[in-house]
Amino acid sequence: MEKIVIVGGGAGGLELATYLGNKLGKKKKAEVLLIDRNATHLWKPLLHEVATGSLDDGTDAVSYRAHATNHYFHFQQGTLTGVNREKKEIVLEPLLDENGEVLVAERHIAYDKLILAIGSKSNDFGTKGVAEHCIFLDSSEQAKHFQKRMLELFLRFSHSQDKDVKIAIVGGGATGIELSAELYNAASHLNEYGFGKLNRASLKVALVEAGPRLIPALTEKVSASALSELRKAGVDVYLNTMITEAVEDGLITKDGEKIEADLMVWAAGVKAPDFIKEFGFETNRLNQIEITDLMQTTVDKDVFVIGDCAALIQNGKPIPPRAQAAHQMATQCGKNIVALLEGKEMKPFKFNDKGSLLSFSHFGTVGNLMGNLVKGDMFIEGKIARLAYLSLYRMHQVALHGWLKTGLILLVGQINRFLRPSMKLH
């Protein structure tokens, strides 16, 4: 029986494992194995909401083991450390408990087809002090660490109120923008739970962008609207401001000025993990693996790559490291692998940019949609944009659970709005 191994359970990897499990695993046409370093999955674009407590990851996270059982694939928890293409096997490092004791020894796992969906991590560009003093938002654990630090700052404020709460975020992309706005939403809710009277004067959020405008990958109209929404929310936006160093109590700019902060987040760019360069594939400067339009690596047709760690140029532009690209790649990769096993022709992947949307919490949503009904970009904002933004996550849920279960999840979510606090407070 053909053994298909998928490494990485992010947006693309988990959708692919679900599809192949339902298509091949259920009928015993192939053994499908998903590997991820974590025990649960959370859609990465939601991490800014976990960081502020607006979302409880314990409620929204998907258990890999339970999901695997329901969709006819297998799951192993572990971290990839090696790929041996000659032996057609991967190596997982030992799994340790919190005390450093070995729970599971090093494993060597054979494969017939390997799909790498490892995702990306924050790129600090080697900036001095960032690793020591800034928090990244690459995982639920990091998001929960940010929330813990944030609540500590708000608790201190609630008892003294003689010191403003200062939070700085580096990076004017989607993560930085959405987190900035969400912080003011979190503060307004926390006021209801006895954390003092935080307002725009006492909560100071700084968003720092090295370029001349926010989200440069999108249109100037979207960028200008994003800037306007943030400033209305109370965010201090610094454009054309490069950070050269992070220190314990703030950020140092190229001009030598200091942006004071009690808590700092680095969201200025992404790259594939550094260890990818050790596997013998062709990679680019962001450590992404070069692939063909069939999503196979340029050096081995039995290894496929999807999502943020894949490098593919189409129409003169690289495929962006976004959730919608991972979703589309997972869909086409799944169909190609099924076709390959059935002796049929694989079809090339073509990215269909459906646009980008940015959520400003209760302040609003803006973005552009690449519509088939209109030429060029279609700019939307307000309630329609909010619905479109939420639909991106619902598409991911449908890919994992189907329409019926997604509908039930929506119903439970509405019920929880009455049963649970509006914020996670622990």
Side-chain angles (χ1 to χ4, degrees), residues 38 42-55 119-124 130-131 133-150 167-171 173-183 205 207 263-271 308 321:
N38 301 305
L42 185 72
W43 201 50
K44 196 171 181 179
L46 294 177
L47 286 177
H48 71 281
E49 294 187 32
V50 175
T52 58
S54 301
L55 180 74
S120 61
K121 56 179 287 188
S122 295
N123 188 357
D124 64 9
V130 169
H133 301 295
C134 295
I135 296 175
F136 302 108
L137 291 183
D138 296 325
S139 67
S140 293
E141 288 71 26
Q142 291 172 332
K144 286 185 283 189
H145 176 57
F146 174 90
Q147 193 217 7
K148 180 176 181 293
R149 291 280 310 280
M150 179 192 75
I167 300 176
I169 301 160
V170 182
T175 299
I177 288 171
E178 292 178 333
L179 178 60
S180 298
E182 194 65 48
L183 282 167
V205 178
L207 179 64
L263 186 57
M264 294 168 284
V265 174
W266 190 274
V270 297
K271 65 177 182 178
D308 291 3

Side-chain angles (χ1 to χ4, degrees), residues 3 5-8 33-37 75-84 89-96 102 104-110 114 116 118 275 279:
K3 186 170 184 179
V5 176
I6 304 165
V7 181
L33 171 64
L34 175 66
I35 296 167
D36 194 274
R37 67 174 63 197
F75 171 73
Q76 285 196 39
Q77 189 172 353
T79 300
L80 180 71
T81 58
V83 177
N84 189 323
E89 68 176 22
I90 61 171
V91 182
L92 304 182
E93 70 178 23
L95 196 60
L96 309 178
V102 176
V104 182
E106 181 181 272
R107 286 156 286 170
H108 293 247
I109 297 175
L114 174 65
L116 298 176
I118 302 169
F275 63 80
F279 296 160

Side-chain angles (χ1 to χ4, degrees), residues 172-194:
T175 299
I177 288 171
E178 292 178 333
L179 178 60
S180 298
E182 194 65 48
L183 282 167
Y184 283 95
N185 180 41
S188 66
H189 283 294
L190 289 172
N191 285 338
E192 302 169 7
Y193 296 115

Side-chain angles (χ1 to χ4, degrees), residues 166-291:
K166 299 176 182 178
I167 300 176
I169 301 160
V170 182
T175 299
I177 288 171
E178 292 178 333
L179 178 60
S180 298
E182 194 65 48
L183 282 167
Y184 283 95
N185 180 41
S188 66
H189 283 294
L190 289 172
N191 285 338
E192 302 169 7
Y193 296 115
F195 278 86
K197 295 300 179 184
L198 282 163
N199 54 41
R200 294 184 186 183
S202 54
L203 173 61
K204 298 185 181 299
V205 178
L207 179 64
V208 186
E209 166 57 39
R213 65 185 180 93
L214 301 174
I215 42 174
L218 302 184
T219 64
E220 290 191 16
K221 187 174 183 180
V222 175
S223 179
S225 185
L227 180 62
S228 174
E229 289 287 341
L230 287 174
R231 285 180 170 160
K232 279 194 293 184
V235 180
D236 291 324
V237 181
Y238 294 79
L239 299 177
N240 295 305
T241 305
M242 181 175 291
I243 301 301
T244 56
E245 183 181 358
V247 294
E248 187 175 358
D249 59 349
L251 301 164
I252 309 300
T253 71
K254 188 177 181 180
D255 296 330
E257 297 181 2
K258 184 177 182 181
I259 300 173
E260 294 184 353
D262 305 300
L263 186 57
M264 294 168 284
V265 174
W266 190 274
V270 297
K271 65 177 182 178
D274 293 333
F275 63 80
I276 283 181
K277 294 184 291 186
E278 302 171 7
F279 296 160
F281 301 109
E282 292 184 336
T283 56
N284 64 12
R285 62 182 181 84
L286 296 177
N287 303 331
Q288 295 170 306
I289 299 173
E290 303 281 355
I291 61 172

